[in-house]
Amino acid sequence: MTKKPNKSVQIRTDEIVPVDVVVEMKESYIAYAMSVITARALPDVRDGLKPVHRRILFAMHEMGLTSSSRFRKSAAVVGDVLGKYHPHGDVAVYDSMVGMTQEFSFRYPLVLGQGNFGSIDGDSAAAMRYTEAKMSKISNELLRDLEKETVDFRLNYDQTRKEPIVFPSAVPALLLNGTLGIAVGMATNIPPHNLAEVIDATLHLIENVDSTTENLMQFIKGPDFPIGGIAYNHKDMLHAYGTGRGGVVCQGEAEIVEQKNGFQIIITSIPFRVNKSNLIMAIAKLVQDKKLEGVKGLRDESTKDIRIVVDLKSTAVPERVLNYIYKNTQLESNFNYNIVALVDGVPQTLSLKSILSFFISHRKEVVKRRAEYDLRRAKEREHILLGLKKALDKIDCVIKIIRSSKDGQTAKYNLMKEFKFSELQTIEILEMKLQKLAGLERKAVENELKEKQKFIKETKDLLASPKKISNVISLELKEIREKYKDERRTKIVKGRNKEISDEDVIPDKKTALVFTAAGYVKRTDPSEYHAQQRGRVGV
């Protein structure tokens, strides 16, 4: 078989544009970095959500998967998100949705799940075809009034439909659940907080715009992690909330309990984002390597609540063992604040006050746009009701014109000509049922008209008064507070936790220091030695 010659590719030299490779790489990398920063890794300061989380909730909203609806397969939700809004991998979308269901990851989960959605031990969730999901109740507050043109929409990736740029969000979600994101050249790490405390601080800032971070921390005591624990030192927290950066020491809670056969250390909480199974393995390895002495048993008795039991030997000093565990495992760790979020599409390092200020500004815009939408709809309805009232007042003449017209189009023209009705009013009159002629129905039209006119006046007053807009925001925040408030889970200790020194982890017991004939020095237990008896018995 003869081989066909390859056809040469003709390249037009006038289409070749010489480019400096250094400049091209620099510009391309900057474009890639900004895409990761703004479209994937960082949350928006207004609703506290990354694009993938926002798209998951919006897709659920469009599917009707509200908190009161039935559950749907997670695969159906992921498919909708991928096909309509999020042009990335299904694993990325499903993993994000799994995180939104986990009570140990989100302080206030945004998605309710049925099935295996992973565990604090690092177990992965079941495949999306086996699990089901829908929105949680608090997610409704993020999407509240979305249909009233309260936020701007943009075209999706293939320009076939529109998606919201941001949610109206009636709560400061950035602080409620916090976030963790790694972009290109920057990252964000924000802890979760207690809803009641965050709303109290927001209400205070609405009334006192000159409040400082220290003033706001009278309400927000510190982070409130979903799995509890202890956070230390008001001074460190004040620095972190004031500058957007800083480290706060966090510990799991542990208590020493005396039992009949000795002491136990019972761990009832662990620091945020610490894998419980890895923590237990780290303690076991310390015992196995003989770095941690005095432990005779270690087991995980956790159910829904965390409970790790460390059984101690009778010779052990419980405080020393616990100190050693704190010092050498993740039972004590630092939470490093790095409060970075998008403000008008630009990443900024934010303080506590600036986060709440941006949220309040967002809510003012949302309330204003909602009022303008309601006002337009009320005016449209008032216009129709005025036409109906006028028609009912002259119903005999209206009926006569309709009966004398050869068809509906002619009747419409004649009514508009005779009574100066608008087209909308005329269509409503022609579609009016005969029962509207009854006295009670006529009264209902008049009452509705009065209500609409009253509403229009109140809405105009609201739009003309920034103070009234602030009052509406405060009222809605108070309602949400009463609906979703719960007890703080993380204990806040104002003072600095005691630094665990090397001396703290050394058992406090008698020791014999031995200098051998070979020149070595070693430490031994005095119980290994006892006085030599007659007949050379003893050591």
Side-chain angles (χ1 to χ4, degrees), residues 160-176:
T160 57
R161 59 181 62 239
K162 289 188 175 182
E163 61 173 321
I165 294 173
V166 68
F167 283 155
S169 190
V171 290
L174 182 63
L175 287 173
L176 294 189

Side-chain angles (χ1 to χ4, degrees), residues 98-339:
V98 166
M100 294 165 77
T101 69
Q102 293 174 338
E103 293 185 352
F104 54 87
S105 296
F106 273 50
R107 180 64 176 82
Y108 300 93
L110 301 177
V111 175
L112 298 177
Q114 273 193 165
N116 173 19
F117 278 90
S119 74
I120 197 170
D121 289 318
D123 301 314
S124 58
M128 68 180 84
R129 62 184 178 274
Y130 298 122
T131 61
E132 296 179 333
K134 65 177 181 178
M135 287 195 293
S136 65
K137 286 184 179 180
I138 202 166
S139 292
N140 298 334
E141 308 300 339
L142 271 64
L143 286 89
R144 182 196 280 193
D145 302 317
L146 184 64
E147 71 285 353
K148 292 188 176 183
E149 300 174 7
T150 50
V151 293
D152 293 330
F153 280 65
R154 65 183 167 206
L155 289 169
N156 68 338
Y157 66 90
D158 62 357
Q159 300 187 356
T160 57
R161 59 181 62 239
K162 289 188 175 182
E163 61 173 321
I165 294 173
V166 68
F167 283 155
S169 190
V171 290
L174 182 63
L175 287 173
L176 294 189
N177 282 318
T179 191
L180 174 65
I182 300 172
V184 178
M186 63 179 62
T188 183
N189 192 22
I190 306 171
H193 296 83
N194 184 271
L195 179 141
E197 293 180 4
V198 171
I199 289 179
D200 286 343
T202 308
L203 293 170
H204 179 77
L205 187 59
I206 290 172
E207 295 295 327
N208 306 274
V209 293
D210 295 328
S211 296
T212 63
T213 298
E214 195 164 6
N215 297 145
L216 297 174
M217 285 193 67
Q218 295 174 17
F219 305 96
I220 298 177
K221 308 300 182 185
D224 190 21
F225 301 118
I227 52 177
I230 306 169
Y232 285 94
N233 198 9
H234 178 79
K235 187 177 179 181
D236 289 344
M237 292 179 199
L238 183 60
H239 174 76
Y241 286 118
T243 64
R245 297 180 186 274
V248 173
V249 176
C250 299
Q251 284 185 347
E253 289 183 89
E255 60 177 337
I256 297 168
V257 179
E258 186 175 5
Q259 302 289 350
K260 289 182 180 179
N261 54 349
F263 286 93
Q264 289 181 332
I265 296 173
I266 299 177
I267 301 169
T268 53
S269 69
I270 59 178
F272 189 44
R273 298 194 188 120
V274 169
N275 184 304
K276 176 164 65 68
S277 181
N278 289 347
L279 175 65
I280 294 171
M281 289 175 65
I283 297 172
K285 191 168 191 322
L286 289 174
V287 176
Q288 186 180 4
D289 294 345
K290 297 184 179 179
K291 294 178 180 178
L292 177 59
E293 298 177 351
V295 175
K296 67 177 181 181
L298 175 65
R299 60 187 179 278
D300 186 3
E301 295 182 354
S302 304
T303 51
K304 187 176 180 181
D305 298 321
I306 292 172
R307 182 181 168 88
I308 302 169
V309 179
V310 182
D311 293 318
L312 303 181
K313 295 177 181 177
S314 58
T315 57
V317 180
E319 291 80 6
R320 305 282 180 181
V321 174
L322 181 56
N323 282 341
Y324 195 91
I325 292 173
Y326 274 131
K327 185 175 177 63
N328 294 279
T329 70
Q330 285 187 300
L331 192 59
E332 176 178 298
S333 59
N334 274 14
F335 187 96
N336 295 308
Y337 284 64
N338 189 22
I339 306 176

